[in-house]
Amino acid sequence: NKVWYEYYAGRKPNLKMVIDRRIKNKRPFTSEVCEQIFQQYFIEIPEQKLAEMSQAIKCLVNILQIELGDVDLGMASYETTLESCEKKLNKNPELESLHSIIQTLLDETQKSRARNKKALQKVCSLNNEINQLQNILEKMSGEIYQDSLTGIGNRRGFDKELSHNIAQSRLNHEP
């Protein structure tokens, strides 16, 4: 039984503590108790990690939306400056006004580039974090369908593969 293997291996200190307490208190280990311990220490962990991963991804998406919103606001400011310069140019400005318009355009373009560069760096950083989470999620999804001790597919993996094969069989009109 996986519970006892992990107990003797000592890799799960909380599991060891719970079992040691039961032994010390001379409480019986019925099949129901073993199943409850198994559910608590082996089944719920991937689901809990999955929920944590989902929450982390939601947080990253929110940060990304904020960053992109900031970029959008910066572009709106730049667009307003461009429109203002265009209006000034439509009035046939004098040489001195042209210098001022050009300087304004150069300043705003530099500011916009700096804002966009900073935002791009943040987006790239967030993208890297999302990729890391995706890799962890892919690893976890494999763990959900395999026994961590033997590496052999478990019931969930069997059910998933069975569903897939039935769908393929129906799609290909095979028995």
Side-chain angles (χ1 to χ4, degrees):
N1 177 316
K2 187 173 183 172
V3 171
W4 292 106
Y5 176 83
E6 288 294 330
Y7 170 77
Y8 287 110
R11 293 184 294 207
K12 294 184 180 274
N14 290 340
L15 171 69
K16 186 161 178 36
M17 184 179 71
V18 166
I19 291 176
D20 284 343
R21 193 177 315 133
R22 285 191 76 86
I23 291 170
K24 182 180 176 185
N25 295 332
K26 298 180 181 177
R27 293 171 64 198
F29 283 95
T30 64
S31 58
E32 290 83 17
V33 169
C34 287
E35 180 62 27
Q36 181 183 15
I37 291 172
F38 178 79
Q39 291 290 327
Q40 182 178 355
Y41 289 94
F42 299 95
I43 300 299
E44 294 176 13
I45 290 173
E47 291 168 359
Q48 181 182 6
K49 286 181 182 177
L50 191 60
E52 289 171 4
M53 292 290 295
S54 177
Q55 187 61 35
I57 290 170
K58 285 178 187 176
C59 183
L60 287 174
V61 167
N62 286 338
I63 293 170
L64 190 57
Q65 286 174 332
I66 291 168
E67 288 300 322
L68 293 176
D70 289 347
V71 168
D72 194 37
L73 286 175
M75 292 308 292
S77 169
Y78 186 64
E79 187 176 333
T80 302
T81 301
L82 290 176
E83 289 171 357
S84 171
C85 289
E86 183 181 24
K87 287 178 184 176
K88 289 177 184 176
L89 287 170
N90 287 337
K91 294 180 181 178
N92 296 323
E94 296 179 7
L95 185 59
E96 191 62 37
S97 294
L98 283 175
H99 284 292
S100 174
I101 292 170
I102 290 171
Q103 191 59 48
T104 301
L105 287 171
L106 288 173
D107 291 345
E108 281 299 313
T109 300
Q110 287 175 347
K111 287 178 188 176
S112 181
R113 281 185 184 163
R115 280 191 304 261
N116 288 342
K117 183 177 181 181
K118 190 176 180 180
L120 182 61
Q121 288 171 339
K122 287 182 181 180
V123 168
C124 286
S125 174
L126 290 170
N127 191 38
N128 288 337
E129 288 183 51
I130 289 170
N131 285 338
Q132 289 173 348
L133 289 173
Q134 182 180 9
N135 291 337
I136 293 168
L137 191 59
E138 287 173 4
K139 182 182 176 205
M140 283 176 47
S141 68
E143 291 174 357
I144 289 174
Y145 298 114
Q146 288 184 342
D147 178 78
S148 61
L149 177 62
T150 63
I152 297 172
N154 61 16
R155 179 64 187 221
R156 287 183 189 162
F158 174 79
D159 290 343
K160 181 182 177 193
E161 189 66 27
L162 180 63
S163 296
H164 173 74
N165 288 336
I166 289 172
Q168 284 295 106
S169 177
R170 288 182 181 157
L171 186 66
N172 297 329
H173 303 291
E174 298 174 351

